[in-house]
Each structure stands twice: as structure tokens, then as C-alpha cells.
Amino acid sequence: MERRTFLRGAVIGTSVATFGGTLMRGAAYAAPAQPGPGPYGALGAADARGIQLPSGFTSRIIARSGQTVAGTSYTWHNAPDGGACFADGTGWIYVSNSEVSPNGGVGAVKFNSSGTITGAHRVLSNTRQNCAGGKTPWNTWLSCEEVSLGYVYETDPWGVNAATRRDAMGRFKHEAAAADPVRKVIYLTEDESNGCFYRFVPSTWGNLSSGTLQVLKAGTATSGSFTWANVPDPDGAPTVTRDQVSGAKRFNGGEGCHYANDTVWFTTKGDNRVWQLNLTTNTYELAYDDSLVSGSAPLSGVDNVTGSSSGDLFIAEDGGNMEICIITPDDVVAPFLRINGQSGSEITGPAFSPNGQRLYFSSQRGTTGSSSGGITYEVTGPFRS
């Protein structure tokens, strides 16, 4: 199903009215209503963990930085960031990056079919600023270093096979990755104020040891057509990858990235936008731009993004109101949850369990505002299918 966007058919810069959290294309300007509740209804009062949720949803703490995960001997890492879930028999595994340097990496928690924690282990160690990443169709986790000339590491969520550095995927300030099994490529964001958007074309799908790094080329507008061009020197030396191809489109701080149904969405924190690439038509446009939302924008500080089986996007805020907001296929944008008392933190790593009924995420710095104060949560409830 093709996802409609807020700005399709609209002229950038015209007045757009907000009604109940939906950006109405082509609507005449009117006094804007405050963004209203989304498909799950209004947020309730904060629970014992300081989380506001819609009716029917509950939260629990899975892990805290510096403390052992319940029932295990594994100490949870500092600054938990990007994450994903992997089916593990009738249970699942949640992997989580550690955005610290020089002792970053990836940790994981195992659950059985009822959601009980059955283990925890290290997946990757001694890397730098592991921020976001992405899940592959062959059930590995791509953990990305958010540093200049950073690498992508392909890791085993079960911690059995050693992690492998994937040099062919380029050296730059990596953020997130999203696999496209139709075109057999991996999309990559770059966390620079003048960064680019890339795709990696493996020589053999399922093997990331070799291939071609390409960068998106387009004009300066917020919508139009795009093409791909090869990056001559993926190692980023002596010229950084973003400066090697004339006409490469610039994005202001690339963050989360998600692929589904011939579409890839990614966020840019510098201008608080969600971009959409329509891969069947090779066109791009804005799916969200808070500067075009009249009144109080329901989503600010865009960061990590994931999707649900219903087609909803769940976008975590870096700052803002410490919310995870949703954007629905019918263009409603609204808060899904809010964390109170942690304004010095950011929300990271949203990911759904394989059955779609549990959402995992972290507050990277928790109540302390320090990387040692990270808290990882689970929310359970009647998610749309």
C-alpha cells in the first residue's frame, strides 16, 4: 500500500491548516486546532516509571546502564541507542547499540514466548559511538559508528559469530541503515549538517564484503526526481565521501531510516523533517515538516524511526517532549508515548517484537542526563495490525 504524505500536491511555503493532528493538503487557512490524539487516543497520566501511554498499554523496565540485566550476569551498556528485534525460536532478541567511545558496541537481551527475559550477552565491543544501524533480511544487525570516517559492523545478534567490519559500505559519519530486499541494496544516512543519503549495492545479496557505494543526486528542492551515482573512494580519503560526487543532494543531519513497500523514509534532525523516497518512481518528497504545521507541532527532534505492520511510522524524539510519535498512512501525526522527568535525555532504538505487540526503546541518558543513566523499556498493548 502506498503511503500518502503530508505535502503531496501542496506548494511549499503556502499556509496549511492542522486539524486533529492531520496536515490537510489543499485546505484553506483557518485558525489551527491543537494536534489531537491519534488512533490510540490521548495519553494517560504518567505511570510509576514516568511514562504516559494510551489506554490499554503498559510499560516495564528491561535494563539499566551499569546494572545487570534481571536473571543474568550481563551488565547493560551505557548510552543505549539504535536497536532491532530478531525472532529466536518462539521468543526473540532485542539488540541495542552503545553510543560511547572508545568502548562502544552492541548488547542484546533474549526473551521467551511470554516475554520473560532468559539471557543477555555482548554482540560487539571496542568500537566508537555506535549510534543507529539496521536489520538485514539474513538476520544480522548492522551497527554504525557515528564518527568521522566511521565504519559499519555486521554483527550476529546471538553473539555466536564474530562481528565483521564492512569497509566497502564506506567510511563516513554513519547513522542508520535500512535493507531493501527488492532492489537488493542497503540505504545509509549520514549525520552531518551537509550530509548525503547513500545506498550500498552488494556484489552478492546477502554478502556485504564487497559492492558499490552510491550517493543520491537531486536538486535543491524538497521534492523531485533523483538518481544514484557511484562514490569513487568509499574510504573517504583524502576527500570525504559527501564531497566526491557533483550534484549529490545535501541533507541536514541524517538520522533514522526505515524501508517498507517500495518506500524508504529517513529523518533529518537539523530541519526536523521526515523524507520519503518513492523507489518505484525514483522521486522524493517530504512526509513531515514541522515548519508547515500550524500551531504546536506534535513532533520535534526527529531521530530513530521504525514501522509497524499497520503501516504506522514510530519516530523517536531527541529532546523535544521526549515522545515517540506516530505518522499513520492517512497522514495523522500524534504522540504515542511521552517520558517525563528526563529532559536531559533522548529516546532511542524503537523496535517491535516479531509478533508486533511489544515495543522496545531506550532513554539514552535517563534521569541523570549522563550516558551511565540509560534505561531500556518495553511497552505492551493492543498495537494495530
Side-chain angles (χ1 to χ4, degrees):
M1 180 178 67
E2 181 177 316
R3 182 187 195 87
R4 299 198 307 274
T5 62
F6 289 150
L7 302 180
R8 183 169 295 148
V11 178
I12 302 300
T14 59
S15 296
V16 184
T18 302
F19 299 94
T22 303
L23 201 59
M24 305 296 290
R25 294 181 299 276
Y29 182 78
Q34 289 298 312
Y40 295 106
L43 302 183
D47 64 14
R49 289 153 293 282
I51 299 181
Q52 293 179 250
L53 293 161
S55 177
F57 290 86
T58 59
S59 75
R60 67 167 171 157
I61 293 174
I62 298 304
R64 291 181 180 270
S65 295
Q67 298 184 20
T68 55
V69 177
T72 77
S73 60
Y74 179 76
T75 300
W76 198 236
H77 49 271
N78 288 350
D81 207 285
C85 282
F86 297 81
D88 180 40
T90 58
W92 57 90
I93 295 173
Y94 176 67
V95 299
S96 169
N97 282 345
S98 177
E99 194 185 10
V100 295
S101 185
N103 298 312
V106 183
V109 180
K110 294 183 69 174
F111 303 86
N112 65 17
S113 59
S114 64
T116 301
I117 295 173
T118 60
H121 55 272
R122 194 72 169 177
V123 171
L124 174 68
S125 299
N126 300 319
T127 50
R128 306 166 296 163
Q129 297 290 125
N130 295 81
C131 194
K135 178 180 179 179
T136 69
W138 49 93
N139 288 323
T140 60
W141 168 246
L142 302 179
S143 183
C144 298
E145 290 185 316
E146 189 194 0
V147 295
S148 296
L149 299 180
Y151 290 102
V152 175
Y153 288 82
E154 187 172 15
T155 69
D156 174 14
W158 288 263
V160 175
N161 299 312
T164 303
R165 199 178 75 189
R166 295 305 189 190
D167 295 11
M169 299 185 77
R171 297 191 67 187
F172 52 89
K173 199 172 184 180
H174 284 278
E175 182 71 28
D180 176 352
V182 177
R183 279 147 284 273
K184 298 182 179 180
V185 301
I186 308 289
Y187 302 104
L188 300 159
T189 56
E190 181 178 28
D191 192 357
E192 299 277 7
S193 60
N194 63 340
C196 292
F197 187 81
Y198 304 87
R199 74 174 185 180
F200 178 67
V201 186
S203 300
T204 302
W205 185 236
N207 183 343
L208 303 179
S209 61
S210 66
T212 303
L213 183 68
Q214 299 181 324
V215 67
L216 186 143
K217 292 183 62 174
T220 59
T222 52
S223 64
S225 60
F226 66 84
T227 58
W228 299 99
N230 293 348
V231 175
D233 297 306
D235 63 0
T239 303
V240 295
T241 55
R242 64 185 179 277
D243 291 341
Q244 292 182 22
V245 174
S246 177
K249 186 168 179 59
R250 304 296 178 167
F251 296 96
N252 192 350
E255 290 285 339
C257 190
H258 176 69
Y259 169 86
N261 300 326
D262 295 319
T263 306
V264 62
W265 295 270
F266 63 97
T267 61
T268 50
K269 65 184 180 184
D271 47 19
N272 208 50
R273 287 171 166 172
V274 181
W275 297 83
Q276 174 176 316
L277 301 187
N278 305 305
L279 300 168
T280 56
T281 59
N282 288 332
T283 58
Y284 69 96
E285 56 195 311
L286 287 172
Y288 177 80
D289 182 349
D290 74 341
S291 70
L292 295 181
V293 178
S294 301
S296 177
L299 172 61
S300 61
V302 297
D303 204 316
N304 292 171
V305 57
T306 193
S308 69
S309 59
S310 65
D312 296 331
L313 294 181
F314 284 70
I315 300 175
E317 290 186 339
D318 180 352
N321 292 330
M322 282 293 287
E323 293 176 341
I324 294 179
C325 292
I326 65 171
I327 300 178
T328 71
D330 54 353
D331 294 350
V332 174
V333 57
F336 170 73
L337 66 81
R338 180 182 301 131
I339 302 177
N340 291 279
Q342 300 185 32
S343 59
S345 186
E346 61 184 276
I347 299 180
T348 60
F352 282 94
S353 60
N355 65 7
Q357 293 304 299
R358 298 171 190 259
L359 174 65
Y360 296 92
F361 60 94
S362 295
S363 171
Q364 190 183 76
R365 297 178 293 279
T367 59
T368 68
S370 165
S371 63
S372 61
I375 309 170
T376 300
Y377 299 94
E378 174 196 85
V379 165
T380 304
F383 288 100
R384 305 199 302 171
S385 60

